[in-house]
Amino acid sequence: MGLTVLMNAGPWLPVPPPGYGGIENVVATLVPELRRLGVRVVLASTGDATLPVDELLSVFPDGQFGALQRPYNQVCGISQAHLFGVVRALRERDDIDLVHDHVEAVGLAVLAAMGPDGGPALHTLHWDLGKHPDLYGCLDGGDRVRVNGVSAAQLGRAPRALRDHSVGHVHLATPLAVHAARRPPVRKSGHQVILGRITPGKGQHVGARLAHRAGFDLVLAGPVGPYRRPEELAAAGPEAGQNPDVRYWREQVAPLVDGDRVRWIGTVAGAARDDLVAAARASLFPLCWEEPGGTAVIESLALGTPVLAIGRGCLPELVEHGRTGLLADDEEGLADLVWQVGDLDERECRREAGSRFTPTIMAERYVELYERVRDSAAGPATAPALR
C-alpha cells in the first residue's frame, strides 16, 4: 500500500520487552502484521529493541523503566527527550505518512502542539482516561491528530474533547490466538493465576484474600515496580519504597503471600508463562479499576483457560459470561463463582480467541484507522493545538 508509519513505542522498555511490558507487547504483536500487509514501519523505541522493522529510531541505548522509581523531578525529562527525537525525525524527513503514538500524555501533547507541520497522527489510549483531565479536557488536535481506544468501555468514560477526536476502538490481540482452536487441551492443575504487574488496580490483594477464604491455590506472576524477581526486590535498598507499587506490595499483598496457598513467582515470559496459564483452572481478575484493554484476558482465552473476574471496564466486551468466563459485581460475587469456573469448556475459550483476537484482525483494523486519519488530515488547516 506504500504507507510508512512511525510507530512510537516510547523510551521505557525495548520491543519486544523481556517479560512484562504491556504497551511494548502490543506493539510487538501489531508491527509484524502491519508489515505483512505492506506497511513500512519506522520504530521509535530503545536501542536494544530487537523486533524486525524497516528502521529503528532511538534516543536511549536501553530501556529506562528502572528510572521510574525515582522522584518525578529526576525523570520527567526522559519522555520529553525521546519525543524530541521523534519530532526531529518528523521535521527532517519527508517519508513518514503517519505517526502511530503509544506514549502516555506526552506523546499526544507534543504531536498536537506541533500543529500542521506534524502531519497525521493516531494516538492509542492504553490507560485509564480519568487521568490527565487538564490535557484531555482541552485537547484540540484539529483534523490532524486523532485518538483510538482499546475498548468501547474505555472510550465511554473519556472526556468530551477526547471523544471528539476518537476514530473508535481496537481490541487488543495476541499471537497465541492464531490457530488457538487447534491447540490440544492441557491437563489442568488446581491453581488459579493472576498474570500482570502487581499494582492496586489489578487487585492482587483481593485475589490473595479470596484464595485464603475460599481455599484455592493462587499464583501471582508479574513484576513489582521495576523488580522482576522476588530476590531482586528483597535485595533492593530503602529507595525502593518510593515506588507506589512496591508500597502496595509490602503493605497489602505481601502479608497474604505465604508461599503455599498464595505464591509470588515474579515475571514469567514465553513458554513458562503459557504453561502456567494453560494449566490453571482459571485466570483471576479481581479488578479494582476500570480495566481498559485486558491483554492478559485474551491471552488466557487463547490458552484455553476461562476467566473469573469482577466485570469492570472492558471485561464484559471480552468475556461471555457462562461461556468463556464468569463475571461478578464484587469480591463477594467472585467468592460465589470460584468453584463453578471449572465447569466451563476450554474449547470455547480457544475458539473465541481465534475468531476475535488475532494479530491479523487487529492490524487490519488499524490500517482502516490509518486511512481515516490521513483522509481527515487532508482537510483544511486547523486552529492551535490547545484551547
Side-chain angles (χ1 to χ4, degrees):
M1 66 171 50
L3 183 70
T4 297
V5 172
L6 192 155
M7 186 73 61
N8 185 22
W12 304 114
L13 292 168
V15 181
Y20 176 82
I23 292 173
E24 293 81 8
N25 275 320
V26 172
V27 172
T29 298
L30 174 61
V31 166
E33 287 301 306
L34 289 177
R35 297 181 75 214
R36 188 184 64 79
L37 294 172
V39 177
R40 184 173 180 270
V41 176
V42 178
L43 176 64
S45 179
T46 58
D48 53 346
T50 58
L51 184 72
V53 290
D54 296 282
E55 186 178 343
L56 176 64
L57 172 68
S58 63
V59 171
F60 296 95
D62 49 30
Q64 302 298 299
F65 186 77
L68 290 178
Q69 65 179 316
R70 303 204 305 265
Y72 173 77
N73 62 359
Q74 297 180 20
V75 301
C76 62
I78 293 176
S79 284
Q80 285 84 344
H82 175 85
L83 262 296
F84 182 76
V86 170
V87 169
R88 182 169 53 200
L90 293 175
R91 286 178 169 165
E92 291 178 352
R93 51 196 296 173
D94 60 4
D95 62 328
I96 303 298
D97 297 304
L98 179 139
V99 177
H100 187 175
D101 180 73
H102 302 267
V103 178
E104 183 174 353
V106 177
L108 178 61
V110 169
L111 291 169
M114 287 186 72
D117 291 341
L122 176 65
H123 174 80
T124 295
L125 301 155
H126 292 274
W127 38 82
D128 174 11
L129 302 185
K131 297 194 292 183
H132 319 306
D134 294 328
L135 171 63
Y136 292 157
C138 66
L139 176 70
D140 186 358
D143 296 322
R144 186 181 59 81
V145 177
R146 299 294 185 179
V147 304
N148 76 276
V150 289
S151 69
Q154 177 201 33
L155 285 178
R157 294 185 298 275
R160 175 63 182 271
L162 200 59
R163 292 201 307 271
D164 287 346
H165 286 76
S166 170
V167 288
H169 69 277
V170 182
H171 285 141
L172 301 175
T174 173
L176 296 169
V178 178
H179 305 311
R182 303 179 191 174
R183 186 172 291 116
V186 174
R187 183 178 179 84
K188 297 293 185 180
S189 72
H191 74 273
Q192 297 194 31
V193 63
I194 300 179
L195 184 69
R197 183 165 62 96
I198 295 178
T199 192
K202 301 293 185 181
Q204 282 89 354
H205 67 294
V206 177
R209 190 164 60 215
L210 186 62
H212 286 289
R213 171 183 173 184
F216 63 86
D217 293 339
L218 177 64
V219 179
L220 307 178
V224 176
Y227 305 104
R228 299 173 58 200
R229 306 294 303 170
E231 56 269 24
E232 292 177 9
L233 181 55
E239 71 280 357
Q242 298 173 356
N243 186 291
D245 288 348
V246 173
R247 291 198 301 271
Y248 166 66
W249 162 260
R250 290 176 173 173
E251 295 170 6
Q252 298 190 52
V253 184
L256 298 169
V257 176
D258 60 359
D260 182 19
R261 180 65 73 194
V262 180
R263 296 184 295 132
W264 174 47
I265 62 173
T267 299
V268 289
R273 176 203 62 186
D274 298 348
D275 291 345
L276 174 70
V277 175
R281 290 184 67 252
S283 287
L284 183 60
F285 295 87
L287 299 174
C288 297
W289 76 323
E290 303 301 326
E291 177 69 44
T295 300
V297 175
I298 62 173
E299 289 175 343
S300 181
L301 297 180
L303 290 165
T305 297
V307 168
L308 178 61
I310 294 176
R312 300 184 65 171
C314 67
L315 266 294
E317 294 178 45
L318 307 182
V319 175
E320 183 178 340
H321 180 77
R323 177 171 166 258
T324 60
L326 298 174
L327 302 178
D329 293 330
D330 51 29
E331 182 179 349
E332 291 299 317
L334 278 183
D336 293 338
L337 297 174
V338 162
W339 299 112
Q340 299 178 35
V341 72
D343 297 334
L344 301 181
D345 188 344
E346 70 173 83
R347 294 172 297 183
E348 290 299 305
C349 298
R350 291 189 275 109
R351 276 195 285 265
E352 183 77 352
S355 67
R356 295 182 60 197
F357 304 124
T358 65
T360 296
I361 292 172
M362 179 172 66
E364 289 174 346
R365 173 67 172 146
Y366 270 115
V367 169
E368 293 175 3
L369 296 192
Y370 295 163
E371 296 297 342
R372 287 182 60 186
V373 173
R374 290 184 71 193
D375 290 345
S376 174
T382 56
L386 292 175
R387 291 193 185 98

